[in-house]
Amino acid sequence: MRKVAADPKGVDSGSHFMDGDHALAEGALAAGCRFFAGYPITPSTEVAERFAERCPHVGGLFIQMEDEIASIAALIGGAWGGQKVMTVTSGPGFSLMMENIGLAVMTETPMVICNVQRCGPSTGLPTLTAQQDMMQVRWGSQGDYRIIALSPDSPQECFDLAIEAFNLSETYRVPVFIMTDETVGHMHEKVVVPPAEQIEVLDRNWYTGPKEDYRPYDFTGNLPAPMVKAGDGYRFHTTGLTHDERGYPAGSVEVHKKLLDHLIGKIDNNVDKISKTEDSGLGDAEVVVISYGITSRIAAKAIADGRKAGIKVGAMRLITVWPLCENRIREIASKVKGIVVPEINMGQVVLEVERVVGGRCKVISVPHAGGAVHDPEVILDAIKEAVK
Amino acid sequence: MNAPMTDEERFRKENPMSEFLRMERMPHIWCPGCGIGTVVNSFAEALKKSDLDMDKVAVVSGIGCTGRVAGYMKFDSLHTTHGRAIPVATGLKLANPDMKVVVVSGDGDLTGIGGNHFIHAARRNMDITVICVNNFTYGMTGGQVTPTTPTKANASTTPYGNYEYPFSLPFLADACGATYVARWTSLHARNITNSISEALKHKGFSFIEVITPCTTLYARRNRLGDGLDALQYYHDDSEIVHGADTREVDIEFQSKIKMGTFVHREKPTYLEAVNTHYANVIGDEYQLYGKTTPEREAEKKAQEQANQGSK
Ligand SMILES: Cc1ncc(C[n+]2csc(CCOP(=O)(O)OP(=O)(O)O)c2C)c(N)n1
Ligand code: SF4
Ligand SMILES: [Mg+2]
């Protein structure tokens, strides 16, 4: 895979005051994304608006499709057409995308999908924050598969993770999700966009060998096959059906197992390379708060108050939520009395944490029905409970 | 002395369309008497006659018996999800404007589950060709009613006959802004080829409906006989009316079928509209994927001249 400096055209270097949504669009442009298909939905619309405004100046194309189903379908066509592609949505639109997320997974099509999460189910509290789609992003499309999901906690990280998301999607040929939320999406903060030459972007891993040897898929290793683009004479075929390495339908149980082992293995066997966390105070910790996105910033207040009260509490912020860094969590669990998991949902990621911890320590869920962030006091209470 | 070729070897070697087909994937899944193969053949014939660079042709299909076309044709090809061929084709075309993108899919796929995409691609005059194999039924799933099934026809989910009003696809396409609209039956292979040739040359959303028999399901359930009987019906009861008012080309159960080129008009394509608009508003700074509009146009002209020269 070729590491290159960002195309300066897409990089608006300097110090900005902008919200998370705008920062996502800037990050995508810096990463070399030049094709965006989307459909408006609060609280994600500003990403599309920013891209639409910027793209004619940077040589990109924005199209507002007729719905979210069409938006993600267009990304699949766009990626095989040779572009880096992105869309953005929120709950209802995310639900509509599910079938074609499966097609992207199955055809190993790189793309970045941002979900600026709002409060459901259904139309719910459409303008208010939540982290309720964390399991949907993982399991929402039919069948067994793996994806990568990142969760930024600030506008700056929206920018940084957008670039990271593109690099991951090119490396693993998998849809990468930026699971942000209304609060981060609409929060204005300082965002520093570095000079283009300091931004490392990964070019697509282009196949360059002889035409007769080209295979769109490779199920043998822990990484996907290089890609070609339409028009280059390779005459690729791709399908959502179970297929062999030529991309041809192959309806056997054996081929299906090989394919699934590959789709799952390329993520599971690379967790250590993919997964990122931000840790603090783990050295002496008796309690650790595991959180992600905006909730980490609320938890930080509870943790500081806990430390003031003499509780040895540390933090692990999941920058990568999926795949979950299971080994690291297990390691922590064997050293502490308890783990606290606050999230703006009724307890989703905590289910996985509980499974991974497997009784090694207490796991306390701090749920929130959505529409607002936690009161730090509630998290502090859970910390106190965990240390008992 | 060489052993004589078996029928299968001869078929693989001597099939006149083998350069356009993935022969290693034959035999195909379609039933005897099915009309899909005729459409594939006519499509391949049109490609053979065209001066297109075959590496720049992509075929996109949805799901269904017709949806399998993408997998059998030796081009960059995407077999997508049910109803979503058009937005995938749209993305491909917009990401890689040099491609000639052709969608081949079924009536249920394009106008039932995918109807929204169909009308919007037509509205935008998206520069793609859409070939609809209209067999009045959901073939792949066993013969259910579709948005084009004629009233009174029998389908597995209208076992007492269909009481809904069907779409007339040329009228729908025309009303939504398609700039090329034609209809043929699978008996009229040469006309299909000619229409596809025209559509491939056409700039903008071109739509070709081909009325075909689904011998196994629709025909059997409605006691219409075999593939030959279908062709007989198309022979006896079809009428060429080029330029017909698309409001008057409805098909009723076993009624007369009006066919021909109904619409052929010029209008800027989606991408032409984008490029012209931004070139006006933003000027030379506007460079879609790194090319200014004049550069892109000069390149296109040079390519066209080169293609003509090589013919
Ligand atoms: C979302 C979704 N719903 C339903 C199906 C089941 N399905 C597969 S093919 C098909 C009908 C295809 O009919 P048509 O497009 O007319 O193609 P034909 O088989 O007649 O060529 C249906 C309903 C599916 N694959 N996906
Ligand atoms: S079921 Fe009908 S449409 Fe499908 S292959 Fe057979 S004849 Fe053709
Ligand atoms: Mg059909």
Side-chain angles (χ1 to χ4, degrees):
Chain A
M1 189 121 1
R2 224 159 61 84
K3 268 188 195 165
V4 293
D7 170 8
K9 249 195 170 165
V11 183
D12 191 9
S13 303
S15 235
H16 306 266
F17 185 62
M18 65 170 80
D19 70 11
D21 279 0
H22 286 257
L24 281 173
E26 287 302 327
L29 290 167
C33 172
R34 293 292 179 271
F35 183 74
F36 187 116
Y39 189 85
I41 184 167
T42 304
S44 75
T45 309
E46 293 88 336
V47 187
E49 287 169 344
R50 178 90 174 198
F51 203 98
E53 190 189 324
R54 289 267 281 134
C55 77
H57 299 280
V58 304
L61 190 76
F62 168 88
I63 180 167
Q64 183 173 311
M65 294 299 287
E66 51 274 17
D67 57 29
E68 290 85 349
I69 304 176
S71 301
I72 179 165
L75 296 197
I76 293 173
W80 285 94
Q83 297 293 330
K84 288 187 173 179
V85 296
M86 180 165 96
T87 189
V88 59
T89 189
S90 190
F94 202 49
S95 294
L96 284 185
M97 288 182 182
M98 286 301 149
E99 187 191 11
N100 281 336
I101 286 172
L103 180 63
V105 165
M106 194 68 153
T107 54
E108 301 189 60
T109 305
M111 62 175 61
V112 173
I113 301 167
C114 308
N115 179 350
V116 187
Q117 293 171 89
R118 64 189 230 182
C119 189
S122 191
T123 312
L125 297 169
T127 61
L128 300 180
T129 201
Q131 298 179 309
Q132 296 173 323
D133 307 339
M134 298 310 295
M135 282 298 179
Q136 185 185 21
V137 67
R138 207 176 174 207
W139 303 122
S141 195
Q142 72 272 15
D144 256 322
Y145 60 95
R146 296 289 187 273
I147 48 82
I148 297 174
L150 312 174
S151 176
D153 74 344
S154 65
Q156 178 69 53
E157 208 173 49
C158 285
F159 176 83
D160 298 340
L161 289 188
I163 296 166
E164 172 91 10
F166 275 97
N167 289 349
L168 287 167
S169 80
E170 295 298 340
T171 306
Y172 298 103
R173 278 184 64 178
V174 72
V176 175
F177 297 85
I178 303 178
M179 299 298 287
T180 179
D181 56 74
E182 187 276 330
T183 314
V184 172
H186 286 163
M187 166 196 289
H188 280 78
E189 282 185 345
K190 181 174 166 182
V191 173
V192 178
V193 176
E197 63 276 12
Q198 285 171 26
I199 299 176
E200 213 170 69
V201 307
L202 290 183
D203 238 2
R204 187 152 298 168
N205 187 10
W206 295 114
Y207 175 82
T208 50
K211 285 185 182 163
E212 352 24 295
D213 296 344
Y214 175 67
R215 297 273 180 279
Y217 303 104
D218 175 1
F219 304 151
T220 56
N222 280 332
L223 285 173
M227 278 187 86
V228 297
K229 68 172 193 289
D232 284 353
Y234 291 95
R235 313 278 181 104
F236 68 80
H237 182 61
T238 188
T239 173
L241 286 164
T242 293
H243 49 266
D244 59 23
E245 292 179 331
R246 294 172 301 173
Y248 291 175
S252 82
V253 176
E254 291 72 30
V255 176
H256 190 71
K257 175 168 174 5
K258 243 192 198 171
L259 169 58
L260 233 65
D261 283 347
H262 167 68
L263 295 179
I264 290 175
K266 71 179 178 180
I267 305 300
D268 283 3
N269 299 328
N270 288 304
V271 176
D272 295 341
K273 288 187 200 126
I274 297 168
S275 169
K276 274 194 184 160
T277 62
E278 185 186 46
D279 307 330
S280 61
L282 291 188
D284 64 344
E286 293 183 330
V287 180
V288 171
V289 179
I290 297 182
S291 59
Y292 53 91
I294 187 61
T295 305
S296 331
R297 293 178 70 165
I298 311 302
K301 162 91 171 109
I303 291 164
D305 290 349
R307 280 275 172 185
K308 257 184 234 156
I311 306 172
K312 289 177 177 157
V313 50
M316 178 189 239
R317 177 167 77 86
L318 304 174
I319 297 170
T320 314
V321 178
W322 310 123
L324 191 65
C325 49
E326 301 192 4
N327 290 336
R328 301 232 16 252
I329 292 175
R330 235 173 253 127
E331 218 174 275
I332 291 170
S334 60
K335 290 185 197 149
V336 301
K337 290 187 181 164
I339 290 176
V340 173
V341 188
E343 42 186 342
I344 310 175
N345 56 51
M346 298 310 281
Q348 295 190 9
V349 174
V350 69
L351 298 175
E352 274 298 82
V353 173
E354 273 170 3
R355 181 184 66 77
V356 168
V357 167
R360 288 176 182 82
C361 71
K362 264 191 254 181
V363 176
I364 299 179
S365 168
V366 189
H368 189 302
V373 296
H374 287 79
D375 178 345
E377 281 294 318
V378 183
I379 304 175
L380 183 59
D381 289 346
I383 292 171
K384 287 176 180 160
E385 178 66 27
V387 82
K388 270 190 201 155
Chain B
M1 218 175 84
N2 288 342
M5 279 196 277
T6 63
D7 281 354
E8 175 160 354
E9 282 165 348
R10 190 169 309 118
F11 162 75
R12 282 177 199 284
K13 242 196 144 114
E14 294 176 3
N15 185 309
M17 294 306 160
S18 59
E19 65 179 294
F20 304 108
L21 299 175
R22 300 185 195 273
M23 296 307 285
E24 67 275 28
R25 292 216 52 222
M26 298 296 146
H28 57 66
I29 63 161
W30 299 310
C31 308
C34 175
I36 299 171
T38 309
V39 178
V40 171
N41 220 52
S42 295
F43 180 22
E45 187 72 43
L47 287 165
K48 197 169 202 168
K49 286 185 177 162
S50 81
D51 46 17
L52 290 169
D53 174 354
M54 291 301 139
D55 284 343
K56 300 284 182 204
V57 175
V59 183
V60 185
S61 294
I63 299 289
C65 295
T66 314
R68 294 305 183 97
V69 168
Y72 292 129
M73 300 205 68
K74 205 194 287 176
F75 295 93
D76 288 328
S77 52
L78 296 104
H79 179 223
T80 63
T81 42
H82 194 25
R84 315 306 167 197
I86 287 177
V88 171
T90 296
L92 183 59
K93 176 70 191 177
L94 296 184
N96 196 334
D98 296 339
M99 297 299 293
K100 181 56 80 177
V101 185
V102 182
V103 168
V104 186
S105 224
D107 49 320
D109 186 86
L110 289 169
T111 70
I113 192 166
N116 197 26
H117 311 308
F118 181 84
I119 63 178
H120 286 282
R123 172 180 66 78
R124 293 183 180 112
N125 200 25
M126 193 57 66
D127 191 11
I128 59 176
T129 294
V130 175
I131 302 171
C132 176
V133 173
N134 183 2
N135 52 18
F136 303 132
T137 198
Y138 286 130
M140 176 69 82
T141 42
Q144 296 78 25
V145 71
T146 74
T148 61
T149 310
T151 311
K152 296 194 183 118
N154 195 293
S156 72
T157 45
T158 51
Y160 306 102
N162 181 24
Y163 33 78
E164 292 194 19
Y165 310 107
F167 270 145
S168 170
L169 298 185
F171 179 40
L172 179 67
D174 183 8
C176 294
T179 43
Y180 181 93
V181 179
R183 174 198 278 160
W184 299 102
T185 82
S186 62
L187 175 70
H188 301 88
R190 204 157 338 138
N191 305 77
I192 305 172
T193 302
N194 291 342
S195 265
I196 296 177
S197 297
E198 282 182 358
L200 291 173
K201 282 199 200 109
H202 180 74
K203 279 195 215 159
F205 188 85
S206 48
F207 175 65
I208 298 162
E209 178 189 29
V210 184
I211 308 296
T212 62
C214 167
T215 42
T216 306
L217 300 161
Y218 182 81
R220 188 177 296 172
R221 191 171 263 281
N222 286 287
R223 301 178 203 285
L224 300 175
D226 60 14
L228 264 184
D229 292 310
L231 297 182
Q232 189 69 50
Y233 158 51
Y234 299 157
H235 177 267
D236 296 345
D237 287 310
S238 64
E239 184 190 354
I240 298 180
V241 198
H242 290 304
D245 183 335
T246 56
R247 285 172 298 186
E248 286 158 15
V249 300
D250 295 28
I251 299 175
E252 287 166 33
F253 185 64
Q254 294 298 98
S255 73
K256 263 217 161 3
I257 298 172
K258 286 188 187 146
M259 48 185 204
T261 307
F262 299 143
V263 177
H264 199 167
R265 59 184 163 224
E266 302 237 328
K267 195 166 90 176
T269 69
Y270 177 87
L271 262 179
E272 284 173 343
V274 171
N275 288 335
T276 313
H277 181 73
Y278 281 136
N280 284 340
V281 180
I282 292 175
D284 269 358
E285 198 206 338
Y286 174 68
Q287 301 179 2
L288 182 60
Y289 308 135
K291 287 178 203 166
T292 63
T293 302
E295 276 167 5
R296 191 176 289 281
E297 270 160 15
E299 237 173 62
K300 207 154 63 180
K301 210 169 253 163
Q303 187 61 46
E304 276 165 13
Q305 275 161 2
N307 288 350
Q308 258 144 31
S310 69
K311 272 275 140 170

